């Protein structure tokens, strides 16, 4: 009986100085485990006189459940303590300045693309993108550029095989649209990448983007083209802008024009950007060549149309004051960040 009492006291001292769950677990194993002192007391039973056995056994059992109750209670207490100290150590200092998330920007070419697309959608145009690899027929032949035509030299091309090439202009999309739409009216813009065998420099790239517009129907005239392009130039470069047509040549348009917009840097007085002329060339355009209409299945006596082709890089360079086309393709984040304010 003394031993039981001693054990109880010893245990009480140990458990009250116990600081952690792992210490508590060690204590449990050492006292209540198979080789522990409680089990040791049980073993003493066999040497006791018969009449003392039940009383002793009961006492040991009592001790055993008392100890395990104490352990359970201590466990709850320690768990709570550990949780509190964990919460304490994980406290967030809400006065610390936040970390700025590194948010990407819309690429200036996509900004320009979207601005142009929105503008023409607003005028009732349908957007058609087409394939990058096209049949020679649609890239050249249907655009009134036959195999031996000198105009093919203007656009050194990247051929995949005898008949297929990477489109050199988005006109290739328009020729497909025309064939599929004849004899019905058409009003589309065709944006997309185009490819030419060019050496890259500040103003040339072997791959760039165009957006071509095409309207075909009854009585579509050069003045409709002029009104449309004036509207576009003012939306993109400012309401006070003027445009002018200069005669030019494209095989698929007749008459053909090159279109200038009054310089947005100097307002037309003359500066280095417009090389002192007050005008900046923005695109090529014209009335659709009757031959092109005929090949696509239209009757050029009944319908007419206009077409224009905008370089998306060129427009973006003019609008945002970018001096080298290669900036668009080098993925320098500092360059892209400049355009956050235009989003
Ligand atoms: N396809 C011409 C080019 O790539 C642009 C253009 C389109 C000119 C439509 C006139 C009409 O240069």
């Amino acid at each position: 009986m003394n031993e039981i009492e001693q054990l109880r006291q010893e245990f009480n001292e140990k458990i009250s100085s116990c600081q952690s769950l792992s210490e508590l677990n060690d204590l449990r194993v050492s006292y209540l485990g198979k080789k522990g002192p409680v089990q040791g007391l049980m073993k003493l039973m066999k040497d006791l006189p018969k009449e003392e056995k039940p009383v002793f056994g009961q006492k040991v059992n009592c001790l055993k459940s008392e100890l395990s109750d104490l352990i359970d209670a201590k466990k709850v207490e320690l768990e709570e303590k550990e949780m509190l100290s964990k919460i304490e150590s994980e406290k967030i200092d809400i006065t610390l300045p936040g970390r700025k998330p590194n948010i990407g920007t819309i690429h200036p070419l996509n900004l320009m693309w979207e601005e142009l697309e929105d503008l023409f959608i607003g005028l009732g145009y349908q957007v058609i993108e087409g394939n990058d690899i096209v049949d020679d027929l649609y890239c050249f032949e249907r655009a009134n550029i036959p195999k031996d035509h000198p105009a093919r030299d203007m656009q050194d091309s990247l051929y995949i095989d005898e008949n297929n090439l990477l489109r050199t202009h988005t006109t290739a999309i328009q020729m497909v649209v025309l064939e599929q739409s004849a004899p019905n009216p058409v009003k589309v813009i065709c944006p997309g990448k185009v490819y030419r065998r060019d050496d890259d420099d500040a103003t040339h790239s072997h791959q760039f983007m165009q957006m071509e517009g095409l309207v075909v129907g009854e009585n579509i005239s050069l003045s409709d083209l002029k009104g449309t392009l004036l509207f576009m130039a003012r939306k993109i470069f400012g309401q006070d802008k003027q445009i002018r047509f200069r005669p030019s040549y494209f095989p698929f348009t007749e008459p053909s024009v090159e279109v200038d917009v009054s310089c947005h840097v100097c307002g037309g007085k003359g500066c280095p950007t417009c090389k002192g002329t007050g005008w900046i060339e923005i695109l090529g355009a014209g009335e659709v060549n009757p031959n092109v209409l005929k090949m696509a299945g239209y009757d050029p006596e009944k319908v007419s149309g206009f077409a224009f082709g905008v370089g998306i890089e060129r427009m973006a360079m003019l609008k945002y004051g970018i001096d080298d086309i290669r900036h668009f393709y080098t993925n320098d984040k500092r360059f892209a960040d400049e355009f956050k304010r235009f989003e």
Side-chain angles (χ1 to χ4, degrees):
M1 290 302 175
N2 273 345
E3 275 189 54
I4 293 178
E5 197 43 43
Q6 220 180 325
L7 202 67
R8 172 180 286 124
Q9 272 179 20
E10 194 187 289
F11 180 82
N12 276 331
E13 274 165 34
K14 287 202 176 152
I15 200 167
S16 62
S17 67
C18 187
Q19 297 289 348
S20 72
L21 285 167
S22 73
E23 263 180 61
L24 184 67
N25 195 42
D26 292 346
L27 197 63
R28 187 179 58 78
V29 172
S30 71
Y31 274 80
L32 298 177
K34 277 206 179 88
K35 290 176 187 154
V38 177
Q39 208 56 33
L41 285 174
M42 282 298 201
K43 281 180 195 148
L44 291 179
M45 280 245 278
K46 66 178 186 315
D47 302 328
L48 286 177
K50 206 175 173 193
E51 63 281 9
E52 286 182 20
K53 279 187 184 174
V55 185
F56 185 78
Q58 206 184 8
K59 291 263 180 198
V60 176
N61 275 335
C62 263
L63 176 72
K64 200 172 166 184
S65 66
E66 193 185 317
L67 299 194
S68 80
D69 285 353
L70 285 170
I71 289 174
D72 288 348
K74 187 74 179 184
K75 193 172 172 216
V76 172
E77 184 193 316
L78 287 175
E79 274 173 353
E80 198 155 311
K81 213 171 103 189
E82 284 196 5
M83 164 114 84
L84 283 175
S85 79
K86 198 170 169 204
I87 290 172
E88 186 71 17
S89 72
E90 286 177 357
K91 202 164 67 179
I92 295 168
D93 182 355
I94 56 163
T95 64
L96 279 175
R99 275 186 218 117
K100 267 202 177 153
N102 202 352
I103 296 173
T105 47
I106 299 179
H107 193 278
L109 290 178
N110 288 334
L111 278 176
M112 195 71 242
W113 176 312
E114 280 169 22
E115 188 176 355
L116 284 164
E117 206 175 76
D118 282 354
L119 183 160
F120 284 106
I121 288 172
L123 291 176
Y125 285 72
Q126 209 187 330
V127 182
I128 296 186
E129 293 195 17
N131 298 328
D132 290 30
I133 297 175
V134 293
D135 195 312
D136 176 286
L137 176 73
Y138 297 101
C139 198
F140 296 128
E141 220 103 341
R142 287 290 176 83
N144 209 26
I145 316 174
K147 284 225 156 43
D148 55 353
H149 196 289
R152 286 203 180 189
D153 286 343
M154 276 167 28
Q155 301 170 339
D156 271 357
S157 333
L158 296 159
Y159 274 85
I160 308 283
D161 55 35
E162 282 275 296
N163 268 321
N164 293 290
L165 70 156
L166 290 169
R167 63 189 178 202
T168 57
H169 51 182
T170 38
T171 309
I173 311 172
Q174 302 187 326
M175 296 308 128
V176 176
V177 172
L178 273 185
E179 183 185 85
Q180 288 170 351
S181 312
N184 299 311
V186 164
K187 190 173 180 182
V188 292
I189 48 161
C190 305
K193 293 185 196 125
V194 298
Y195 309 82
R196 293 183 191 180
R197 200 182 301 175
D198 242 340
D199 290 330
D200 293 356
D201 63 24
T203 51
H204 294 85
S205 167
H206 61 283
Q207 182 206 302
F208 57 100
M209 298 200 284
Q210 289 187 325
M211 186 173 294
E212 293 200 13
L214 173 70
V215 178
V216 172
E218 280 174 29
N219 300 321
I220 304 293
S221 69
L222 209 59
S223 63
D224 294 320
L225 172 67
K226 194 162 185 183
T228 304
L229 295 180
L230 181 62
F231 178 82
M232 179 193 81
R234 289 186 168 173
K235 275 265 187 192
I236 305 270
F237 296 109
Q239 281 308 320
D240 56 337
K241 296 293 164 288
Q242 297 295 333
I243 59 167
R244 71 172 184 187
F245 280 5
R246 274 181 296 110
S248 184
Y249 172 74
F250 299 104
F252 33 90
T253 46
E254 182 60 38
S256 300
V257 292
E258 246 153 60
V259 183
D260 300 337
V261 63
S262 50
C263 180
H264 55 298
V265 178
C266 64
K269 286 196 244 22
C271 72
T273 303
C274 58
K275 298 194 183 89
T277 64
W279 294 96
I280 289 180
E281 184 195 325
I282 54 167
L283 56 89
E287 281 282 289
V288 182
N289 191 311
N291 232 349
V292 169
L293 290 174
K294 207 189 298 167
M295 282 188 277
Y298 286 92
D299 178 355
E301 298 295 327
K302 291 198 180 123
V303 296
S304 55
F306 67 70
F308 56 87
V310 195
I312 294 180
E313 277 83 350
R314 180 160 173 75
M315 292 293 262
M317 286 169 86
L318 290 173
K319 175 155 182 167
Y320 303 131
I322 298 164
D323 59 1
D324 192 322
I325 197 169
R326 290 169 293 197
H327 286 314
F328 290 125
Y329 313 120
T330 44
N331 284 340
D332 187 331
K333 192 168 178 307
R334 290 166 304 177
F335 171 73
D337 282 345
E338 293 286 314
F339 299 91
K340 272 202 173 114
R341 64 204 155 98
F342 292 106
E343 282 176 15

